Amino acid sequence: MSSLSTNTPSTTTTSADPDTGAATEEEEGNIFSKYYSQLSHQQNMLTDHVRTKTYQQAFFKNTVDFQGANCLDVGTGSGILAFFCVQAGAKEVWGVEMSRITIAAKKLVSSNGLSSKIHIVKGKMEEVTLPKKVDVIVSEPLGFLLVHERMLESYITGRDRYLKPGGKMFPSNSTIYTAPFTDEPLYAETCQKSDFWCNNDFMGVDLTALHETSMEEAFGQPVVGYFHPDILLSDDRGTHFVDFHTVTHEALKSFEIDFQHTITKTAVCHGIACWFDCDFSGSQETVVLKTGPEAPGTHWYQCRLMFRSPLAVNKGQILNGRLTFRANDSFSYDVKVEAGIDCNPRIETENMVFLQDQHYHYLYAEESAVDAQGMGHVRGNEGQV
Ligand SMILES: C[S@@+](CC[C@H](N)C(=O)[O-])C[C@H]1O[C@@H](n2cnc3c(N)ncnc32)[C@H](O)[C@@H]1O
């Protein structure tokens, strides 16, 4: 099916019947499509007040960009950002959405009397056909660690297919931050998860051959949850800047974050913490959405990548290394962490911390997969998203 009309866009996908909402095989194969088709998950996002309020403020503080504008909302979900576009003065909005939540979104649009302004389009951003190019693209394509779910790729597909030259994007850019942290209880808890496999007589079966695999699994998962900024071991931040106006698909699929942190506390470093900020740079004002440990909590929490072997660090030393992100087939990324210590003349020897077998200039790597199946699961102190 492929058609083009001036008012009611149609899709070129094999997606579900927009009226019955029956899922296609393709849709059933996409865990995020199923996840987002449930009102409860849309509600989770709407009730993240930091997130939702920041989006509305970003549009309201840049009404010059929305007045009389044609807008595209990539992944409209309940349609909330499309409503905000209209509130900010948009002429028409096309809300593209791959999941069956379109049925609910259409109900909201109609019950709010906005059917002539907001057009909910069922299908993938990569496949739908819209009637015209737009002045503004809005979206909430942000996952844990910014890139989990790989929806940024759909956001920039929307840009490449439908944004007029010089058009605006809300959000417009984002920065991932890194910092080393210490958290002994978290480390102990992660190790304890594998204690079960130390049993050499579980109902007469020796399980110990799987202990190592279980440890790899436990440390291979990022920890999603809040933490207090006091656990950070440096004031320096590794950064990775992504400009949504210019970033390419290739650059999103594979990137590195190099870091160099001057250690501010002698401690045992248990890994690298990561979070992101997002800018909405309109013609009038830049509004910032923050998800770091010092900001009010959001449903993105923060992420921590654990070291299997912790690293003793001394105040004044330099911890340097690299995070390597490679997109995978599970709508997420494999993340590799490498870190090492440089000797520094300002080492406070009286407070040095040593771990067995650790040497200065010690370099090691940990593999960590940001697992799509782990979505919504929070380890640490905050329960479920
Ligand atoms: C994080 S939610 C945001 C929903 C809504 N915009 C909001 O801010 O509350 C992302 C939405 O985008 C949809 N989505 C993800 N990838 C998509 C794609 N390639 N094409 C269309 N919709 C997509 C998901 O089904 C989900 O409803």
Side-chain angles (χ1 to χ4, degrees):
M1 177 177 74
S2 175
S3 67
L4 189 117
S5 83
T6 47
N7 278 325
T8 314
S10 302
T11 77
T12 55
T13 69
T14 54
S15 290
D17 180 326
D19 296 320
T20 65
T24 60
E25 269 177 39
E26 178 190 52
E27 192 181 44
E28 290 298 348
N30 184 323
I31 60 158
F32 290 115
S33 191
K34 277 190 263 182
Y35 179 90
Y36 285 120
S37 66
Q38 294 171 41
L39 264 188
S40 59
H41 293 307
Q42 298 290 338
Q43 184 180 336
N44 271 348
M45 293 181 286
L46 296 183
T47 53
D48 176 344
H49 294 294
V50 173
R51 176 201 92 113
T52 309
K53 197 77 200 159
T54 304
Y55 265 84
Q56 194 184 40
Q57 283 302 305
F59 296 6
F60 282 7
K61 291 193 172 178
N62 290 288
T63 47
V64 156
D65 295 319
F66 288 89
Q67 289 295 331
N70 286 322
C71 301
L72 163 61
D73 177 8
V74 179
T76 198
S78 64
I80 191 70
L81 301 186
F83 284 105
F84 291 168
C85 288
V86 172
Q87 290 169 359
K91 185 175 162 208
E92 281 184 272
V93 189
W94 284 269
V96 175
E97 170 59 46
M98 68 180 177
S99 84
R100 280 174 289 157
I101 199 69
T102 47
I103 297 168
K106 282 182 181 180
K107 258 188 204 163
L108 276 191
V109 169
S110 156
S111 63
N112 280 272
L114 287 174
S115 300
S116 61
K117 282 181 172 276
I118 299 178
H119 315 293
I120 301 296
V121 183
K122 174 83 166 64
K124 287 187 177 167
M125 190 62 246
E126 292 75 5
E127 297 166 354
V128 296
T129 301
L130 302 181
K132 54 179 81 164
K133 297 226 175 201
V134 298
D135 309 291
V136 178
I137 300 190
V138 303
S139 186
E140 198 275 74
L142 318 170
F144 295 138
L145 241 167
L146 179 66
V147 291
H148 178 54
E149 297 182 43
R150 295 184 56 186
M151 197 186 150
L152 288 177
E153 291 164 48
S154 303
Y155 186 31
I156 67 165
T157 296
R159 173 200 72 190
D160 294 343
R161 296 189 66 201
Y162 286 109
L163 188 61
K164 286 182 187 167
K168 292 281 177 195
M169 295 179 79
F170 291 82
S172 37
N173 61 68
S174 183
T175 305
I176 301 177
Y177 295 97
T178 72
F181 72 91
T182 184
D183 192 338
E184 187 57 44
L186 177 66
Y187 183 76
E189 181 202 315
T190 307
C191 291
Q192 275 162 16
K193 283 180 192 296
S194 300
D195 283 356
F196 171 77
W197 299 97
C198 291
N199 191 342
N200 63 7
D201 185 14
F202 176 77
M203 304 172 86
V205 180
D206 180 356
L207 301 181
T208 55
L210 294 182
H211 181 243
E212 183 55 26
T213 312
S214 170
M215 288 286 275
E216 275 168 22
E217 199 177 286
F219 281 94
Q221 289 293 315
V223 177
V224 180
Y226 298 131
F227 58 80
H228 195 281
D230 280 357
I231 71 166
L232 297 179
L233 297 175
S234 176
D235 298 328
D236 303 324
R237 303 286 176 257
T239 58
H240 180 70
F241 180 76
V242 185
D243 184 342
F244 298 139
H245 282 276
T246 55
V247 71
T248 61
H249 282 268
E250 289 67 34
L252 284 177
K253 283 195 177 110
S254 166
F255 61 94
E256 288 85 36
I257 307 178
D258 290 324
F259 55 80
Q260 191 170 64
H261 299 289
T262 301
I263 298 297
T264 50
K265 287 176 215 169
T266 294
V268 176
C269 176
H270 292 104
I272 303 294
C274 309
W275 62 91
F276 64 91
D277 288 350
C278 238
D279 287 349
F280 299 79
S281 298
S283 299
Q284 293 162 285
E285 206 168 306
T286 294
V287 174
V288 185
L289 173 66
K290 290 176 181 287
T291 74
E294 270 137 3
T298 70
H299 78 293
W300 292 289
Y301 300 84
Q302 291 95 37
C303 278
R304 281 177 287 173
L305 306 168
M306 302 276 292
F307 291 159
R308 170 74 187 276
S309 307
L311 189 61
V313 294
N314 297 280
K315 184 174 176 182
Q317 285 183 315
I318 309 288
L319 178 79
N320 55 33
R322 166 176 281 195
L323 299 184
T324 308
F325 288 71
R326 297 282 178 263
N328 62 34
D329 292 337
S330 308
F331 302 100
S332 194
Y333 285 76
D334 296 320
V335 184
K336 183 175 159 192
V337 186
E338 294 167 86
I341 289 288
D342 280 353
C343 269
N344 185 298
R346 289 185 295 114
I347 290 170
E348 295 185 353
T349 47
E350 69 274 19
N351 283 325
M352 285 172 77
V353 177
F354 290 98
L355 290 182
Q356 208 181 354
D357 295 333
Q358 189 187 309
H359 310 287
Y360 294 117
H361 304 290
Y362 185 58
L363 188 74
Y364 60 94
E366 295 284 343
E367 294 281 352
S368 179
V370 181
D371 178 5
Q373 304 298 330
M375 183 183 168
H377 178 64
V378 174
R379 277 172 54 202
N381 47 10
E382 287 301 322
Q384 298 293 309
V385 173

